[in-house]
Amino acid sequence: MKNNKKVVWLALLVVILAGIGFFSAGGGTASQPYLIGDPQGDWGFPSPLAHNPRGPGYLRVSFLFDTLIWKDDKGFVPALARTWEYQDSPPTYVFHLNPQALWHDGQPVTSEDVAFTVAYLKKHPHPWVDTRPVEKVEAPEPHTVRLILSRPYAPFLEEIAGTMFILPRHVWEQVQEPSRFQEPRAAIGSGPYTLVEYRREHGLYRFAAFEKYYQGKPVVPEIGFVQVGNELVALKGKAVQAASVPPEAIQELRTQGFTVLSQPHFWCLKLLFNHRRFPQREAAFRQALAHALNLPDLVSQALRGHGLPASPGLLPPDSSWYQASQTLYGYNPAAAARLLASLGYRRTAGGWEREGQVLELELLTAPAYARVGEYLEKSFREIGLAVRLRQMDHVVLDQRVKSQQFDLALSGHGGLGADPKMINDVSLGPLAAEFLGGYQPSPQLTQLLADQLHTLDQNQRRKFVAQIQELLARELPALPLYYPTWYLGHDGRLPWFFTKGGIAKGIPTYFNKMALLPQTLPVSSP
Amino acid sequence: MSRVLGYLFVLIFILSLNFALPRFLPGDPLTALVGEQDLIISPEFRQELKQRYGLDQPLAHQFGQYLVRLLSCDLGYSFYHQAPVSAVIGPPLRWTALLCGASFLVSTILGIWLGVELAVRRSRPWTAAVVGVCLVLASLPGFLLGMALLLGFSLKLGWFPFFGALDLVPQVSGSATWGSGILRHLALPALTLVLAELPGVALLVRGSLLKVLQAPFVLAARALGLTETRIKYRYQARNALLPLITRLGLRFGLLWAGAVPVEVVFAYPGAGQLLFQALLKRDYPLIQGLLLVGILAVLAGNALAEWGYRLADPRVRSRTWY
């Protein structure tokens, strides 16, 4: 009798648990927004000056705010500016604004707003927009604005016109602390969506289509980003409609009817050298290590083939600025040994020896690159070079690199599809020197990097960028290892496409707001 | 009085440690904030960030500011979330209180019941099997258990949601639906924590109870003609409670830290996950705020344990405290 009682209690517990699920699962009638899953969650309040300075923070704001121009899968397209032209003297970009453009509160977008935005950003800098090249802004007519530059600036369209969110003057002119301005008015933009809800703890951003959007009301009434624990499980369970997915799930997802897209290769993992130490400061040593590595084999082992061996000139073949390098470093242990010998090292039973000292280096690696670290350690051991692996949190690794407390380190960065100004960002200047172990570019490379910034002739600039890649391949300030392939899985309802070079100044993601506009674009296959 | 002073001293000491510890972490907050885009962000913005967060000030000045703000109940401003720390930690603390509170209560009640039954019926063959299951459950990592429940109950059966703590878009208006949404989101994370915690409680109660099963007071209680249920729970279990109270007191302050893997698997927006992210991002003010809450929880747990001893054991109650 007593045992029967217990069984009844247990059964009741199971029924209650199951009942909770059934009870409210059946009650829904409201339409769910199109949700994009993200394991990180919160990327800051979605205003141009409060979002997190990384790409996903910018991306969320891009649904609410427009820039002067934008990009689709082929290149620049009109946004707030219907047309634009360049005038030589003084170097000036003239933008003709779309007269139908409205702020979310119904006020018209005017040239005064553009002038205000530039002045405001000079006072309150945006993480991605460097307004220094703009000397003066004139607003001769309500829908014409002239941005006068101090000197010709080739990346202007991508770095400033295509990245700078235009702010409504009537909202922001009284705001003294823009990062703390996080009330609903701070999200009033001129973009295709308005902010419905932002819940920091859920990483939830809900956007509703702006009825009076000047390029037509978006076809998806409501879209959102939300934090998920496991992107693949959430996608398979149809709790979200799009998410990044791991390579091993591609086949299964396709079988289940999902669309899986691969992204162009705009992120690179590099082997960093401490240029303040011998022998890393010698180009011959860096070239020796390049010859010691079999990059295609590294890709097949560390990434299971989901990636590309990197070009020594840094830019990937997917970049429109890519130039195949003349200087190549095939897998050649004999060449590596010759190069080490040229530095005065002698191969002994204990390793490579010079002035009685055996060469032994420490390689810093983060958990995400553990397999790469092991592969490198094994490859270097095969040519007789002793390397100690040391794994650490990536923030600690970055800090060690910046303070020059390392021999070799693994570190990566994105933005490789963007304007070639990014080469300047990662290889020129004091901060780049910190990240590259104190590397100082040669005078020739420095001159080329400066020239390419101020050359408006595309063909001439292309030649400069090709020469820069060749010099980088020869000098190897860092050794590019691979470009991983990333995948997006989605339910196939929306024609997501990959933006040329990445969204704005190179965000490598598919979620371009243009895909949600009435004149839908075909899905691109990069 | 002396105990209150003791707690006060501990609190002051810990506040100082609270400021120092995050800064002992290697790595700087600006690099952690912008990550690989450190090279791409504009130099003006980098300088602006340093000023905004006071990172350009000497450490002594930062410590002074921290104490002054704390006196006015201001926990500071989160580097990563760009919002006041109190606003950032408020909602996650509420969700953590719900998740950990519910699982703590259920695992304690069920654990005591199961422990008593396992001890009293120790000669039955099924108890050995249950003890074995308890040992397996206690050794399983929380995230593995959570993932198994997620795959089974959410993906396969579709009974429970995949992430979050409430329905993102309320299906229909009404507090009943809103409440059931919260319960549905709570069920699997709470079940995971209960399954992880319950075996420990049950085994501890069983072990303690085995020592008092044949005690003279039990014989006396039987001689008085008391019912078996009354003897089990009123006399035997109560005598075996002291080690459990110690365990629960220690556990109370660390509940939210133990919930981190479960919160990650279910994307449950709790404070444990927030602290984990804050540590990765070197968000000093947020780490300080959350650790402060953690410290208060540990102190509260200890105080509750002491109070629990006195409630459970008249011998402790009658002792004079100096």
Side-chain angles (χ1 to χ4, degrees), chain A residues 45-53 57-58 61-62 64-66 103 117 121 124-129 163-168 172 178-179 181 185-189, chain B residues 45 82:
Chain A
F45 183 85
S47 97
L49 289 155
H51 70 82
N52 180 277
Y58 181 95
V61 181
S62 75
L64 306 176
F65 286 80
D66 270 3
W103 297 108
T117 301
L121 292 189
H124 305 284
H126 182 273
W128 291 19
V129 183
T163 300
M164 180 176 67
F165 293 123
I166 303 302
L167 302 170
W172 288 81
S179 66
F181 181 44
R185 287 178 72 233
I188 293 178
Chain B
F45 182 72
Q82 306 222 34

mmCIF file of all heavy atoms in Angstrom, chain A residues 45-53 57-58 61-62 64-66 103 117 121 124-129 163-168 172 178-179 181 185-189, chain B residues 45 82:
data_model
loop_
_atom_site.group_PDB
_atom_site.id
_atom_site.type_symbol
_atom_site.label_atom_id
_atom_site.label_comp_id
_atom_site.label_asym_id
_atom_site.label_seq_id
_atom_site.Cartn_x
_atom_site.Cartn_y
_atom_site.Cartn_z
ATOM 1 N N PHE A 45 23.935 48.988 -25.141
ATOM 2 C CA PHE A 45 22.713 49.665 -25.588
ATOM 3 C C PHE A 45 22.874 50.048 -27.059
ATOM 4 O O PHE A 45 23.914 50.576 -27.462
ATOM 5 C CB PHE A 45 22.475 50.911 -24.726
ATOM 6 C CG PHE A 45 21.202 51.619 -25.065
ATOM 7 C CD1 PHE A 45 20.004 51.214 -24.504
ATOM 8 C CD2 PHE A 45 21.202 52.660 -25.978
ATOM 9 C CE1 PHE A 45 18.813 51.849 -24.841
ATOM 10 C CE2 PHE A 45 20.015 53.311 -26.316
ATOM 11 C CZ PHE A 45 18.824 52.899 -25.742
ATOM 12 N N PRO A 46 21.835 49.804 -27.876
ATOM 13 C CA PRO A 46 22.012 50.030 -29.321
ATOM 14 C C PRO A 46 21.902 51.488 -29.748
ATOM 15 O O PRO A 46 20.999 51.855 -30.487
ATOM 16 C CB PRO A 46 20.896 49.179 -29.934
ATOM 17 C CG PRO A 46 19.830 49.174 -28.902
ATOM 18 C CD PRO A 46 20.511 49.242 -27.563
ATOM 19 N N SER A 47 22.796 52.310 -29.250
ATOM 20 C CA SER A 47 22.883 53.676 -29.777
ATOM 21 C C SER A 47 24.291 53.839 -30.329
ATOM 22 O O SER A 47 25.211 53.130 -29.893
ATOM 23 C CB SER A 47 22.620 54.711 -28.674
ATOM 24 O OG SER A 47 23.834 55.181 -28.152
ATOM 25 N N PRO A 48 24.481 54.777 -31.287
ATOM 26 C CA PRO A 48 25.791 54.880 -31.947
ATOM 27 C C PRO A 48 26.947 55.139 -30.994
ATOM 28 O O PRO A 48 28.083 54.839 -31.308
ATOM 29 C CB PRO A 48 25.602 56.059 -32.904
ATOM 30 C CG PRO A 48 24.153 56.120 -33.155
ATOM 31 C CD PRO A 48 23.490 55.680 -31.881
ATOM 32 N N LEU A 49 26.672 55.684 -29.820
ATOM 33 C CA LEU A 49 27.776 56.013 -28.921
ATOM 34 C C LEU A 49 27.718 55.258 -27.589
ATOM 35 O O LEU A 49 28.377 55.646 -26.632
ATOM 36 C CB LEU A 49 27.834 57.523 -28.703
ATOM 37 C CG LEU A 49 28.329 58.247 -29.966
ATOM 38 C CD1 LEU A 49 27.862 59.670 -30.025
ATOM 39 C CD2 LEU A 49 29.835 58.184 -30.074
ATOM 40 N N ALA A 50 26.926 54.204 -27.529
ATOM 41 C CA ALA A 50 26.880 53.410 -26.291
ATOM 42 C C ALA A 50 27.108 51.928 -26.573
ATOM 43 O O ALA A 50 27.270 51.156 -25.642
ATOM 44 C CB ALA A 50 25.544 53.598 -25.587
ATOM 45 N N HIS A 51 27.138 51.540 -27.848
ATOM 46 C CA HIS A 51 27.288 50.113 -28.144
ATOM 47 C C HIS A 51 28.703 49.649 -27.849
ATOM 48 O O HIS A 51 29.636 50.448 -27.784
ATOM 49 C CB HIS A 51 26.907 49.821 -29.603
ATOM 50 C CG HIS A 51 27.874 50.348 -30.622
ATOM 51 N ND1 HIS A 51 29.017 49.686 -30.967
ATOM 52 C CD2 HIS A 51 27.856 51.466 -31.381
ATOM 53 C CE1 HIS A 51 29.666 50.377 -31.897
ATOM 54 N NE2 HIS A 51 28.989 51.468 -32.159
ATOM 55 N N ASN A 52 28.857 48.343 -27.676
ATOM 56 C CA ASN A 52 30.180 47.769 -27.474
ATOM 57 C C ASN A 52 31.028 48.008 -28.723
ATOM 58 O O ASN A 52 30.519 47.894 -29.839
ATOM 59 C CB ASN A 52 30.025 46.257 -27.219
ATOM 60 C CG ASN A 52 31.353 45.583 -26.999
ATOM 61 O OD1 ASN A 52 32.044 45.237 -27.946
ATOM 62 N ND2 ASN A 52 31.738 45.427 -25.756
ATOM 63 N N PRO A 53 32.323 48.346 -28.543
ATOM 64 C CA PRO A 53 33.125 48.711 -29.726
ATOM 65 C C PRO A 53 33.440 47.563 -30.685
ATOM 66 O O PRO A 53 34.126 47.784 -31.675
ATOM 67 C CB PRO A 53 34.403 49.286 -29.115
ATOM 68 C CG PRO A 53 34.444 48.834 -27.716
ATOM 69 C CD PRO A 53 33.048 48.571 -27.289
ATOM 70 N N GLY A 57 28.290 44.717 -31.738
ATOM 71 C CA GLY A 57 27.656 45.891 -31.148
ATOM 72 C C GLY A 57 27.273 46.870 -32.254
ATOM 73 O O GLY A 57 26.157 47.394 -32.295
ATOM 74 N N TYR A 58 28.202 47.098 -33.185
ATOM 75 C CA TYR A 58 27.947 48.000 -34.312
ATOM 76 C C TYR A 58 26.790 47.466 -35.163
ATOM 77 O O TYR A 58 25.903 48.211 -35.590
ATOM 78 C CB TYR A 58 29.213 48.126 -35.157
ATOM 79 C CG TYR A 58 29.065 49.053 -36.339
ATOM 80 C CD1 TYR A 58 29.457 50.382 -36.249
ATOM 81 C CD2 TYR A 58 28.515 48.606 -37.535
ATOM 82 C CE1 TYR A 58 29.306 51.238 -37.327
ATOM 83 C CE2 TYR A 58 28.350 49.452 -38.619
ATOM 84 C CZ TYR A 58 28.750 50.773 -38.508
ATOM 85 O OH TYR A 58 28.582 51.607 -39.575
ATOM 86 N N VAL A 61 23.297 48.239 -33.955
ATOM 87 C CA VAL A 61 22.930 49.645 -34.152
ATOM 88 C C VAL A 61 22.597 49.906 -35.620
ATOM 89 O O VAL A 61 21.751 50.743 -35.931
ATOM 90 C CB VAL A 61 24.074 50.573 -33.670
ATOM 91 C CG1 VAL A 61 23.712 52.039 -33.848
ATOM 92 C CG2 VAL A 61 24.391 50.301 -32.206
ATOM 93 N N SER A 62 23.223 49.154 -36.513
ATOM 94 C CA SER A 62 23.015 49.411 -37.951
ATOM 95 C C SER A 62 21.568 49.164 -38.385
ATOM 96 O O SER A 62 21.142 49.654 -39.426
ATOM 97 C CB SER A 62 23.965 48.551 -38.797
ATOM 98 O OG SER A 62 23.527 47.203 -38.835
ATOM 99 N N LEU A 64 19.076 50.299 -36.702
ATOM 100 C CA LEU A 64 18.330 51.480 -36.249
ATOM 101 C C LEU A 64 18.821 52.775 -36.900
ATOM 102 O O LEU A 64 18.058 53.710 -37.076
ATOM 103 C CB LEU A 64 18.467 51.636 -34.729
ATOM 104 C CG LEU A 64 18.079 50.428 -33.874
ATOM 105 C CD1 LEU A 64 18.364 50.706 -32.408
ATOM 106 C CD2 LEU A 64 16.601 50.109 -34.057
ATOM 107 N N PHE A 65 20.102 52.803 -37.228
ATOM 108 C CA PHE A 65 20.701 54.041 -37.753
ATOM 109 C C PHE A 65 21.277 53.783 -39.147
ATOM 110 O O PHE A 65 21.852 52.727 -39.395
ATOM 111 C CB PHE A 65 21.819 54.527 -36.825
ATOM 112 C CG PHE A 65 21.312 55.142 -35.554
ATOM 113 C CD1 PHE A 65 20.897 54.339 -34.504
ATOM 114 C CD2 PHE A 65 21.232 56.522 -35.410
ATOM 115 C CE1 PHE A 65 20.420 54.895 -33.326
ATOM 116 C CE2 PHE A 65 20.753 57.083 -34.231
ATOM 117 C CZ PHE A 65 20.343 56.270 -33.188
ATOM 118 N N ASP A 66 21.155 54.787 -39.998
ATOM 119 C CA ASP A 66 21.738 54.692 -41.338
ATOM 120 C C ASP A 66 22.980 55.559 -41.440
ATOM 121 O O ASP A 66 23.151 56.529 -40.684
ATOM 122 C CB ASP A 66 20.718 55.121 -42.392
ATOM 123 C CG ASP A 66 19.882 53.935 -42.869
ATOM 124 O OD1 ASP A 66 20.074 52.816 -42.330
ATOM 125 O OD2 ASP A 66 19.035 54.118 -43.765
ATOM 126 N N TRP A 103 13.506 60.650 -39.527
ATOM 127 C CA TRP A 103 13.876 60.028 -38.259
ATOM 128 C C TRP A 103 12.686 59.242 -37.748
ATOM 129 O O TRP A 103 11.550 59.467 -38.179
ATOM 130 C CB TRP A 103 14.283 61.101 -37.245
ATOM 131 C CG TRP A 103 15.494 61.882 -37.670
ATOM 132 C CD1 TRP A 103 15.524 63.173 -38.090
ATOM 133 C CD2 TRP A 103 16.842 61.399 -37.751
ATOM 134 N NE1 TRP A 103 16.809 63.534 -38.436
ATOM 135 C CE2 TRP A 103 17.639 62.453 -38.223
ATOM 136 C CE3 TRP A 103 17.447 60.188 -37.472
ATOM 137 C CZ2 TRP A 103 19.004 62.340 -38.432
ATOM 138 C CZ3 TRP A 103 18.814 60.054 -37.663
ATOM 139 C CH2 TRP A 103 19.573 61.121 -38.139
ATOM 140 N N THR A 117 26.637 65.736 -36.798
ATOM 141 C CA THR A 117 27.236 64.435 -36.454
ATOM 142 C C THR A 117 28.754 64.506 -36.487
ATOM 143 O O THR A 117 29.438 64.052 -35.565
ATOM 144 C CB THR A 117 26.744 63.345 -37.430
ATOM 145 O OG1 THR A 117 25.321 63.271 -37.342
ATOM 146 C CG2 THR A 117 27.334 61.992 -37.088
ATOM 147 N N LEU A 121 31.082 63.987 -33.271
ATOM 148 C CA LEU A 121 32.035 62.876 -33.165
ATOM 149 C C LEU A 121 33.468 63.376 -32.980
ATOM 150 O O LEU A 121 34.310 62.658 -32.460
ATOM 151 C CB LEU A 121 31.952 61.965 -34.399
ATOM 152 C CG LEU A 121 30.651 61.172 -34.553
ATOM 153 C CD1 LEU A 121 30.779 60.160 -35.684
ATOM 154 C CD2 LEU A 121 30.262 60.453 -33.279
ATOM 155 N N HIS A 124 33.158 63.765 -29.259
ATOM 156 C CA HIS A 124 32.915 62.482 -28.586
ATOM 157 C C HIS A 124 33.236 61.357 -29.571
ATOM 158 O O HIS A 124 32.356 60.907 -30.303
ATOM 159 C CB HIS A 124 31.451 62.368 -28.143
ATOM 160 C CG HIS A 124 30.992 63.493 -27.288
ATOM 161 N ND1 HIS A 124 31.335 63.613 -25.964
ATOM 162 C CD2 HIS A 124 30.222 64.579 -27.568
ATOM 163 C CE1 HIS A 124 30.793 64.709 -25.463
ATOM 164 N NE2 HIS A 124 30.117 65.312 -26.422
ATOM 165 N N PRO A 125 34.463 60.879 -29.592
ATOM 166 C CA PRO A 125 34.876 59.946 -30.662
ATOM 167 C C PRO A 125 34.093 58.642 -30.670
ATOM 168 O O PRO A 125 33.693 58.121 -29.636
ATOM 169 C CB PRO A 125 36.340 59.654 -30.320
ATOM 170 C CG PRO A 125 36.750 60.675 -29.339
ATOM 171 C CD PRO A 125 35.535 61.154 -28.642
ATOM 172 N N HIS A 126 33.868 58.159 -31.879
ATOM 173 C CA HIS A 126 33.263 56.842 -32.080
ATOM 174 C C HIS A 126 34.410 55.846 -32.245
ATOM 175 O O HIS A 126 35.451 56.170 -32.819
ATOM 176 C CB HIS A 126 32.392 56.868 -33.352
ATOM 177 C CG HIS A 126 31.684 55.573 -33.606
ATOM 178 N ND1 HIS A 126 32.269 54.542 -34.298
ATOM 179 C CD2 HIS A 126 30.453 55.132 -33.233
ATOM 180 C CE1 HIS A 126 31.414 53.527 -34.349
ATOM 181 N NE2 HIS A 126 30.317 53.849 -33.717
ATOM 182 N N PRO A 127 34.229 54.605 -31.740
ATOM 183 C CA PRO A 127 35.351 53.658 -31.807
ATOM 184 C C PRO A 127 35.879 53.410 -33.213
ATOM 185 O O PRO A 127 37.063 53.152 -33.400
ATOM 186 C CB PRO A 127 34.765 52.374 -31.199
ATOM 187 C CG PRO A 127 33.294 52.576 -31.099
ATOM 188 C CD PRO A 127 33.080 54.042 -31.017
ATOM 189 N N TRP A 128 35.020 53.474 -34.191
ATOM 190 C CA TRP A 128 35.447 53.066 -35.527
ATOM 191 C C TRP A 128 35.631 54.214 -36.503
ATOM 192 O O TRP A 128 36.142 54.006 -37.597
ATOM 193 C CB TRP A 128 34.405 52.119 -36.134
ATOM 194 C CG TRP A 128 34.347 50.789 -35.465
ATOM 195 C CD1 TRP A 128 34.824 50.464 -34.227
ATOM 196 C CD2 TRP A 128 33.784 49.612 -35.997
ATOM 197 N NE1 TRP A 128 34.577 49.148 -33.969
ATOM 198 C CE2 TRP A 128 33.945 48.598 -35.030
ATOM 199 C CE3 TRP A 128 33.151 49.302 -37.197
ATOM 200 C CZ2 TRP A 128 33.495 47.298 -35.228
ATOM 201 C CZ3 TRP A 128 32.706 48.025 -37.403
ATOM 202 C CH2 TRP A 128 32.883 47.029 -36.427
ATOM 203 N N VAL A 129 35.131 55.386 -36.154
ATOM 204 C CA VAL A 129 35.151 56.476 -37.137
ATOM 205 C C VAL A 129 36.184 57.517 -36.717
ATOM 206 O O VAL A 129 36.030 58.182 -35.698
ATOM 207 C CB VAL A 129 33.756 57.133 -37.271
ATOM 208 C CG1 VAL A 129 33.782 58.211 -38.344
ATOM 209 C CG2 VAL A 129 32.707 56.090 -37.579
ATOM 210 N N THR A 163 30.531 54.218 -42.673
ATOM 211 C CA THR A 163 30.576 53.658 -41.313
ATOM 212 C C THR A 163 29.965 54.596 -40.272
ATOM 213 O O THR A 163 29.470 54.146 -39.251
ATOM 214 C CB THR A 163 32.052 53.356 -40.929
ATOM 215 O OG1 THR A 163 32.567 52.408 -41.867
ATOM 216 C CG2 THR A 163 32.167 52.748 -39.551
ATOM 217 N N MET A 164 29.968 55.895 -40.568
ATOM 218 C CA MET A 164 29.514 56.886 -39.579
ATOM 219 C C MET A 164 27.979 56.959 -39.532
ATOM 220 O O MET A 164 27.336 57.391 -40.489
ATOM 221 C CB MET A 164 30.095 58.261 -39.957
ATOM 222 C CG MET A 164 29.701 59.381 -39.028
ATOM 223 S SD MET A 164 30.529 60.932 -39.500
ATOM 224 C CE MET A 164 29.751 61.278 -41.094
ATOM 225 N N PHE A 165 27.391 56.541 -38.408
ATOM 226 C CA PHE A 165 25.940 56.658 -38.241
ATOM 227 C C PHE A 165 25.590 58.131 -38.097
ATOM 228 O O PHE A 165 26.210 58.859 -37.313
ATOM 229 C CB PHE A 165 25.479 55.930 -36.973
ATOM 230 C CG PHE A 165 25.648 54.441 -37.027
ATOM 231 C CD1 PHE A 165 26.395 53.771 -36.066
ATOM 232 C CD2 PHE A 165 25.050 53.686 -38.033
ATOM 233 C CE1 PHE A 165 26.538 52.395 -36.097
ATOM 234 C CE2 PHE A 165 25.195 52.299 -38.072
ATOM 235 C CZ PHE A 165 25.947 51.658 -37.106
ATOM 236 N N ILE A 166 24.587 58.563 -38.840
ATOM 237 C CA ILE A 166 24.175 59.965 -38.740
ATOM 238 C C ILE A 166 23.211 60.115 -37.557
ATOM 239 O O ILE A 166 22.274 59.335 -37.397
ATOM 240 C CB ILE A 166 23.507 60.430 -40.063
ATOM 241 C CG1 ILE A 166 24.475 60.223 -41.246
ATOM 242 C CG2 ILE A 166 23.071 61.885 -39.965
ATOM 243 C CD1 ILE A 166 25.813 60.933 -41.114
ATOM 244 N N LEU A 167 23.484 61.127 -36.743
ATOM 245 C CA LEU A 167 22.705 61.344 -35.515
ATOM 246 C C LEU A 167 21.651 62.429 -35.732
ATOM 247 O O LEU A 167 21.918 63.413 -36.433
ATOM 248 C CB LEU A 167 23.631 61.802 -34.379
ATOM 249 C CG LEU A 167 24.791 60.888 -34.004
ATOM 250 C CD1 LEU A 167 25.730 61.605 -33.032
ATOM 251 C CD2 LEU A 167 24.253 59.618 -33.370
ATOM 252 N N PRO A 168 20.481 62.296 -35.105
ATOM 253 C CA PRO A 168 19.483 63.371 -35.190
ATOM 254 C C PRO A 168 19.900 64.523 -34.264
ATOM 255 O O PRO A 168 20.013 64.340 -33.049
ATOM 256 C CB PRO A 168 18.194 62.697 -34.698
ATOM 257 C CG PRO A 168 18.632 61.531 -33.896
ATOM 258 C CD PRO A 168 19.996 61.131 -34.360
ATOM 259 N N TRP A 172 20.339 64.796 -29.995
ATOM 260 C CA TRP A 172 21.661 64.657 -29.378
ATOM 261 C C TRP A 172 22.326 65.983 -28.993
ATOM 262 O O TRP A 172 23.326 65.974 -28.280
ATOM 263 C CB TRP A 172 22.599 63.902 -30.326
ATOM 264 C CG TRP A 172 22.254 62.444 -30.409
ATOM 265 C CD1 TRP A 172 21.265 61.874 -31.163
ATOM 266 C CD2 TRP A 172 22.875 61.365 -29.708
ATOM 267 N NE1 TRP A 172 21.232 60.510 -30.973
ATOM 268 C CE2 TRP A 172 22.223 60.167 -30.082
ATOM 269 C CE3 TRP A 172 23.918 61.281 -28.791
ATOM 270 C CZ2 TRP A 172 22.571 58.917 -29.578
ATOM 271 C CZ3 TRP A 172 24.282 60.035 -28.286
ATOM 272 C CH2 TRP A 172 23.610 58.869 -28.672
ATOM 273 N N PRO A 178 27.435 60.995 -24.011
ATOM 274 C CA PRO A 178 26.721 60.114 -24.959
ATOM 275 C C PRO A 178 26.692 58.643 -24.560
ATOM 276 O O PRO A 178 25.723 57.961 -24.834
ATOM 277 C CB PRO A 178 27.483 60.307 -26.272
ATOM 278 C CG PRO A 178 28.755 60.971 -25.921
ATOM 279 C CD PRO A 178 28.542 61.707 -24.642
ATOM 280 N N SER A 179 27.752 58.160 -23.876
ATOM 281 C CA SER A 179 27.744 56.735 -23.537
ATOM 282 C C SER A 179 26.708 56.424 -22.461
ATOM 283 O O SER A 179 26.259 55.291 -22.323
ATOM 284 C CB SER A 179 29.127 56.286 -23.080
ATOM 285 O OG SER A 179 29.453 56.926 -21.870
ATOM 286 N N PHE A 181 23.800 58.082 -22.307
ATOM 287 C CA PHE A 181 22.479 58.421 -22.851
ATOM 288 C C PHE A 181 21.869 57.132 -23.391
ATOM 289 O O PHE A 181 22.140 56.722 -24.523
ATOM 290 C CB PHE A 181 22.675 59.468 -23.954
ATOM 291 C CG PHE A 181 21.394 59.941 -24.599
ATOM 292 C CD1 PHE A 181 20.272 60.246 -23.848
ATOM 293 C CD2 PHE A 181 21.336 60.105 -25.976
ATOM 294 C CE1 PHE A 181 19.109 60.696 -24.454
ATOM 295 C CE2 PHE A 181 20.184 60.553 -26.594
ATOM 296 C CZ PHE A 181 19.071 60.848 -25.830
ATOM 297 N N ARG A 185 14.883 57.545 -26.423
ATOM 298 C CA ARG A 185 15.161 58.574 -27.445
ATOM 299 C C ARG A 185 16.539 58.373 -28.084
ATOM 300 O O ARG A 185 16.771 58.781 -29.216
ATOM 301 C CB ARG A 185 15.111 59.970 -26.811
ATOM 302 C CG ARG A 185 13.697 60.428 -26.484
ATOM 303 C CD ARG A 185 13.710 61.785 -25.814
ATOM 304 N NE ARG A 185 14.040 62.844 -26.746
ATOM 305 C CZ ARG A 185 15.009 63.731 -26.542
ATOM 306 N NH1 ARG A 185 15.738 63.677 -25.458
ATOM 307 N NH2 ARG A 185 15.242 64.677 -27.422
ATOM 308 N N ALA A 186 17.451 57.768 -27.336
ATOM 309 C CA ALA A 186 18.807 57.569 -27.868
ATOM 310 C C ALA A 186 18.813 56.581 -29.029
ATOM 311 O O ALA A 186 19.797 56.479 -29.758
ATOM 312 C CB ALA A 186 19.727 57.077 -26.763
ATOM 313 N N ALA A 187 17.736 55.826 -29.186
ATOM 314 C CA ALA A 187 17.674 54.843 -30.273
ATOM 315 C C ALA A 187 16.890 55.377 -31.473
ATOM 316 O O ALA A 187 16.591 54.633 -32.404
ATOM 317 C CB ALA A 187 17.047 53.550 -29.770
ATOM 318 N N ILE A 188 16.549 56.671 -31.459
ATOM 319 C CA ILE A 188 15.840 57.253 -32.615
ATOM 320 C C ILE A 188 16.845 57.463 -33.737
ATOM 321 O O ILE A 188 17.722 58.322 -33.655
ATOM 322 C CB ILE A 188 15.158 58.589 -32.226
ATOM 323 C CG1 ILE A 188 14.025 58.323 -31.233
ATOM 324 C CG2 ILE A 188 14.643 59.306 -33.479
ATOM 325 C CD1 ILE A 188 13.333 59.584 -30.751
ATOM 326 N N GLY A 189 16.712 56.664 -34.761
ATOM 327 C CA GLY A 189 17.607 56.777 -35.907
ATOM 328 C C GLY A 189 16.814 56.968 -37.174
ATOM 329 O O GLY A 189 15.619 57.306 -37.135
ATOM 330 N N PHE B 45 39.320 57.520 -29.451
ATOM 331 C CA PHE B 45 38.372 56.731 -28.667
ATOM 332 C C PHE B 45 39.096 55.986 -27.555
ATOM 333 O O PHE B 45 38.601 55.886 -26.436
ATOM 334 C CB PHE B 45 37.642 55.742 -29.581
ATOM 335 C CG PHE B 45 36.612 54.919 -28.850
ATOM 336 C CD1 PHE B 45 35.430 55.491 -28.429
ATOM 337 C CD2 PHE B 45 36.836 53.581 -28.577
ATOM 338 C CE1 PHE B 45 34.480 54.745 -27.739
ATOM 339 C CE2 PHE B 45 35.898 52.826 -27.896
ATOM 340 C CZ PHE B 45 34.719 53.421 -27.475
ATOM 341 N N GLN B 82 28.611 49.298 -20.169
ATOM 342 C CA GLN B 82 28.418 50.744 -20.214
ATOM 343 C C GLN B 82 27.133 51.149 -19.513
ATOM 344 O O GLN B 82 26.264 51.814 -20.086
ATOM 345 C CB GLN B 82 28.410 51.240 -21.659
ATOM 346 C CG GLN B 82 29.631 50.803 -22.416
ATOM 347 C CD GLN B 82 30.201 51.899 -23.292
ATOM 348 O OE1 GLN B 82 30.139 53.057 -22.940
ATOM 349 N NE2 GLN B 82 30.767 51.527 -24.396
#
